[in-house]
Every structure is written in structure tokens, then in C-alpha cells.
Amino acid sequence: MNDITALDIQGLGKSFTGRDGVVRRVLDNIDLTVPRGQFVCIVGASGSGKTTLIRAIGGLIAAEHGHIVFNGKVVTGPGKDRSFVFQNDSLFPWRTVIDNVLFGLQVQGVSRKHSLPAGEDLLRRVGLRGYGGHFPAELSGGMRQRVNLARALAVDPDLLLMDEPFSALDAQTREIMQRELLDIWSQQKKTVVFITHQIDEAVYLADRVLVLSSHPGRIAADIDIPFPRPRLLKQKRSPEFVAYVDRIWNLIEKDVMATAAGSH
């Protein structure tokens, strides 16, 4: 692990005005530093500001208070040093798999001829060797998310921002994708900020788990995950692993229950 700070957030705050005209504070006084190459997961109840935080880091929305610095530069908008993987794969249905993967590079002006070898290597890394000529409609949900991940990695970002990327997948595919993501991360050591509602997913993937409280979103806990790498899926059944899951659940249970009660 490199101790050089990649991401530095100080005093971040953000509010939104609802349709009813009421201004609601979504994030309040978020302070966070992430070393280069670290895998950070963020959990919290719905409405705790997880997606707002990751979109602010990506430059998709502006900070209202405080600042976000990545690799020594203040974040004022999107940049090629940061890539997103969203819950929905958002692939272009009229482009083949390989042309979806290469899209970001083509936007940057890299010719298909020069980007093709890297794209084919990424498809191999995500387990889709030989699928470059297929179209998204011909793929399963898990395969489409593999393409989505390859596309995000193709531009060689320093920071990978992942907003519940596996939530639409069935349980078995989700576990396979978790393992494959860690395999790729272990090779490339990108800095990762990963949002999830699944606490066991966070504990399995992360070097540290941030717990956001709700209304407004604040960092309620910053928990180091000590399990050695590489991690095996069977570790999820160990008493030590379950203890961390229970600890984090106890931190967010009140907010989750309040959110569930408010939705009825």
C-alpha cells in the first residue's frame, strides 16, 4: 500500500432543493483522505448521501462547501483520471462489446487501431475473451457489467468510482464479480471508492469501510478491514468476518429502520 494521499476531502457539504421547495442538507462536513491504491467501500441507509458523495468526487456535481482534491488538483469537474461504473451498465446497444470498451479512448482521440490491443487485453482480464464482436443484447447482466468495468478501465484512470455496480445481479453472479474485481484490482492497484448496500460485500472487498449516517450524511465510522489478501469467498462464513458485518449493521440499523418506516 502506498501511503501517498490520492484523495483529500475537507469540509464537504452539499444541499439540494426538493420539489416542495424545501432545502435539504445531504452531506455535512465530510473529511476524508484516501491513500493511493486503497480500496474504500461506503455503506449507509438510503438517503445518507452515498451517491451524492461519489458524484462529487467524480466532478459530476459541485461541492457547496469545502473542497475535493485528487492527485494534488482541486476537483472542478469530470476528468480522465477518474472513471465511473454505475449500477446500470449504460452500454451503447448499437456498438459491439469491443467498441463499447474503446469508446472512452476514442473520445480522447486515440485511434481504434492503436487502442484495440489494450481493449482486447481488458476483455481477457474480465473474462470475456472472444466476445468483442457481440452486442450488449446478446450478453447476460453479469457479462454486460464486465464490459462496463472494462470500459471504465480502458482509459487507465487513477481512481475508479463504483456506485452499486453489482446490485442488479443475482447472488451467484454478484459473488463471482466481486472476486473478479479483486483479481483485477490486485493487478492494477487502482484507488477505488465503491458504494454498496450489502455490508458483506463491503467487508469482503475493502481495505476500509466508511459508514455514513443519514440526514445529513456524515461519516459515522471509519473501519479498517484487517483480513489479508488475496481473499477467498469462503472467508465470508468465518466468525471474524461475520463479526465485522454485525458491527457495521449495528451502526446503520437505526437509520435503515427509520428509512424503511418512512417509505410506508
Side-chain angles (χ1 to χ4, degrees):
M1 182 71 64
N2 194 323
D3 290 333
I4 297 174
T5 297
L7 179 65
D8 181 35
I9 302 174
Q10 298 295 327
L12 179 66
K14 183 67 178 177
S15 300
F16 290 104
T17 302
R19 294 180 180 178
D20 55 6
V22 176
V23 177
R24 292 179 173 85
R25 191 76 160 167
V26 179
L27 296 174
D28 184 59
N29 200 31
I30 299 290
D31 294 330
L32 172 64
T33 58
V34 179
R36 185 177 300 166
Q38 191 171 71
F39 200 125
V40 175
C41 283
I42 302 174
V43 300
S46 296
S48 59
K50 301 184 297 298
T51 293
T52 299
L53 176 56
I54 204 171
R55 286 177 176 267
I57 294 170
L60 299 182
I61 59 175
E64 184 177 343
H65 300 288
H67 67 264
I68 302 171
V69 176
F70 182 66
N71 281 349
K73 298 179 181 179
V74 176
V75 172
T76 57
K80 63 182 181 181
D81 55 354
R82 287 155 283 144
S83 281
F84 269 96
V85 180
F86 295 106
Q87 177 177 344
N88 298 315
D89 57 66
S90 65
L91 300 176
F92 299 116
W94 60 88
R95 295 176 72 107
T96 62
V97 164
I98 189 64
D99 284 326
N100 268 286
V101 171
L102 300 180
F103 177 74
L105 289 172
Q106 291 171 358
V107 169
Q108 294 178 13
V110 182
S111 71
R112 192 179 191 279
K113 177 181 177 181
H114 286 93
S115 60
L116 188 58
E120 290 176 338
D121 180 62
L122 279 168
L123 286 181
R124 178 187 61 80
R125 288 175 182 269
V126 299
L128 290 177
R129 183 201 298 270
Y131 283 89
H134 288 64
F135 288 90
E138 300 175 288
L139 307 180
S140 67
M143 294 167 77
R144 288 196 297 271
Q145 272 300 54
R146 288 186 176 96
V147 179
N148 206 26
L149 177 59
R151 181 174 63 179
L153 291 170
V155 296
D156 194 25
D158 295 319
L159 177 61
L160 196 58
L161 300 166
M162 309 187 75
D163 190 357
E164 298 190 64
F166 305 148
S167 61
L169 305 179
D170 63 77
Q172 292 84 2
T173 303
R174 185 171 188 148
E175 292 216 330
I176 292 169
M177 288 298 298
Q178 290 168 8
R179 184 180 62 197
E180 291 181 352
L181 174 60
L182 286 186
D183 287 344
I184 293 169
W185 174 79
S186 68
Q187 296 165 18
Q188 301 200 357
K189 282 298 189 289
K190 303 291 185 186
T191 307
V192 178
V193 177
F194 186 109
I195 289 175
T196 179
H197 276 99
Q198 297 289 328
I199 298 173
D200 66 330
E201 181 171 70
V203 174
Y204 176 67
L205 293 174
D207 294 310
R208 55 197 280 226
V209 176
L210 303 178
V211 180
L212 289 189
S213 60
S214 298
H215 311 302
R218 299 188 177 102
I219 296 179
D222 186 343
I223 300 171
D224 289 324
I225 305 299
F227 305 128
R229 299 185 186 274
R231 293 177 182 168
L232 304 176
L233 285 170
K234 67 180 182 180
Q235 286 181 277
K236 291 184 178 184
R237 299 187 292 273
S238 72
E240 296 81 7
F241 187 98
V242 174
Y244 270 89
V245 172
D246 287 345
R247 175 183 172 187
I248 294 169
W249 168 248
N250 288 335
L251 289 168
I252 68 172
E253 181 180 11
K254 183 178 179 181
D255 285 341
V256 171
M257 294 302 182
T259 299
S263 65
H264 295 296

